[in-house]
């Protein structure tokens, strides 16, 4: 009986991986579809997102218009497809900005130590306690709504959380034996940081960055829904939600379907991020 238990655990683990695999594949397929829509929308639709047909205004979903049409007859699916470029660009830009700030502050705090570490940590704690969405609203109110402002607002709002993670990861890796061995072999401080500390500290955070893209898109869409996003007629996902809320009682598809796309993308990116995180943790073990 004692020899059978280990043998039974391996197939069970494999079955668990197989059960998780279809969801991961579906998530990958949906994210790939959004990336294709962002890079080459003409592959998915030959319609223009700005073509107006007043005679076809507020048409319900059908075979010719799977997502229906808006208040001026524009095909909603086409606008969602073309809006992928703006939404994905804002999400990637905001995440890149947040991680750049986080790496600068996190590494500086962890490597400098002392008063510098204490000062940066206290600033991060205050910024982290301040609601990120409220900070983004403040920045947009000061500089005005635009795609660039959304990237800056969402990036700065999410940077403190990433910075705390970077600092903790650097402090953890800094105590590893191979870091001490590299220093003992005569490698310079910045050589050790560049070749050993930075790659090993950032590797576990790759999954966090993946999750951050979906979060940034949701935040940017929330700002656009409040009327603080890209001005119409640009087909950004959040702007579509903002325009559709005026007709939610009569034309539900204008609000529900773009919102469903945002939710599915966020879930898909989260699924891929968690899968990547498990693989990285397994590789490190």
């Amino acid at each position: 009986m004692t020899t059978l238990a280990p043998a039974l655990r391996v197939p069970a683990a494999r079955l668990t991986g197989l059960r998780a695999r279809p969801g991961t594949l579906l998530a990958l397929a949906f994210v790939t579809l959004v990336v294709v829509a962002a890079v080459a929308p003409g592959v998915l639709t030959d319609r223009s997102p700005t073509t107006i047909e007043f005679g076809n205004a507020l048409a319900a979903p059908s075979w010719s218009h799977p997502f229906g049409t808006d208040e001026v007859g524009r095909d909603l699916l086409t606008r969602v497809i073309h809006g992928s470029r703006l939404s994905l660009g804002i999400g990637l830009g905001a995440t890149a900005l947040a991680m750049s700030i986080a790496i600068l502050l996190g590494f500086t705090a962890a490597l400098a130590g002392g008063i510098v570490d204490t000062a940066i940590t206290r600033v991060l704690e205050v910024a982290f306690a301040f609601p990120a969405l409220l900070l983004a609203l403040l920045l947009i109110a000061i500089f005005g709504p635009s795609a660039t402002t959304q990237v800056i607002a969402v990036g700065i709002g999410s940077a403190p959380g990433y910075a705390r993670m970077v600092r903790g990861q650097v402090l953890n890796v800094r105590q590893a034996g191979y870091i001490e061995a590299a220093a003992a072999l005569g490698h310079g401080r910045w050589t050790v940081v560049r070749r050993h500390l930075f790659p090993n500290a950032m590797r576990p955070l790759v999954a966090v960055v993946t999750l951050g893209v979906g979060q940034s898109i949701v935040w940017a869409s929330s700002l656009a829904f409040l009327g603080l996003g890209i001005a119409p007629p640009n087909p950004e996902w959040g702007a579509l939600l903002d325009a559709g809320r005026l007709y939610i009682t009569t034309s539900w598809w204008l609000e529900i379907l773009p919102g469903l796309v945002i939710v599915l993308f966020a879930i898909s990116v989260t699924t891929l991020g968690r899968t990547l995180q498990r693989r990285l943790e397994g590789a490190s073990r």
Side-chain angles (χ1 to χ4, degrees), residues 55-255:
N56 203 26
L58 298 178
S62 61
W63 285 110
S64 57
H65 300 283
F67 278 25
T69 61
D70 63 8
E71 67 277 8
V72 293
R74 294 173 295 198
D75 183 70
L76 185 59
L77 178 59
T78 300
R79 290 179 62 78
V80 170
I81 291 173
H82 282 267
S84 303
R85 177 175 300 177
L86 283 171
S87 296
L88 190 59
I90 291 172
L92 291 173
T95 304
L97 176 61
M99 285 305 300
S100 299
I101 298 173
I103 291 173
L104 176 62
L105 296 179
F107 269 83
T108 301
L111 296 179
I115 298 177
V116 176
D117 184 20
T118 302
I120 293 178
T121 302
R122 295 297 175 266
V123 172
L124 291 177
E125 289 175 353
V126 173
F128 189 75
F130 194 81
L133 188 58
L134 185 59
L135 177 61
L137 288 172
L138 178 62
L139 292 174
I140 291 179
I142 294 174
F143 298 105
S146 67
T148 303
T149 308
Q150 279 185 297
V151 169
I152 295 174
V154 176
I156 293 177
S158 54
Y162 293 136
R164 294 178 66 184
M165 287 187 286
V166 170
R167 175 183 174 275
Q169 192 64 29
V170 172
L171 290 175
N172 185 36
V173 174
R174 188 180 180 182
Q175 301 173 357
Y178 57 85
I179 299 295
E180 297 178 358
L185 290 174
H187 295 290
R189 179 183 177 88
W190 295 112
T191 302
V192 174
V193 171
R194 186 180 69 255
R195 293 185 180 180
H196 304 285
L197 184 59
F198 183 82
N200 288 284
M202 294 303 299
R203 186 177 295 114
L205 298 178
V206 173
V208 176
V209 173
T210 305
L211 298 173
V213 174
Q215 180 184 4
S216 297
I217 290 178
V218 171
W219 283 11
S221 299
S222 301
L223 294 172
F225 180 76
L226 296 175
L228 299 174
I230 301 174
N234 294 301
E236 193 264 335
W237 288 350
L240 295 179
L241 290 178
D242 182 39
R245 65 185 174 86
L246 301 175
Y247 304 92
I248 191 171
T249 57
T250 58
S251 305
W252 57 268
W253 55 89
L254 295 179
E255 191 78 10

Side-chain angles (χ1 to χ4, degrees), residues 22-34 207 210-211 213-215 218 237 260-276:
T24 303
L25 292 178
L26 288 174
L28 179 61
F30 188 78
V31 171
T32 302
L33 186 65
V34 172
T210 305
L211 298 173
V213 174
Q215 180 184 4
V218 171
W237 288 350
L260 184 61
V261 171
I262 296 173
V263 171
L264 289 177
F265 183 79
I267 293 175
S268 299
V269 172
T270 301
T271 301
L272 294 179
R274 295 192 181 280
T275 301
L276 180 61

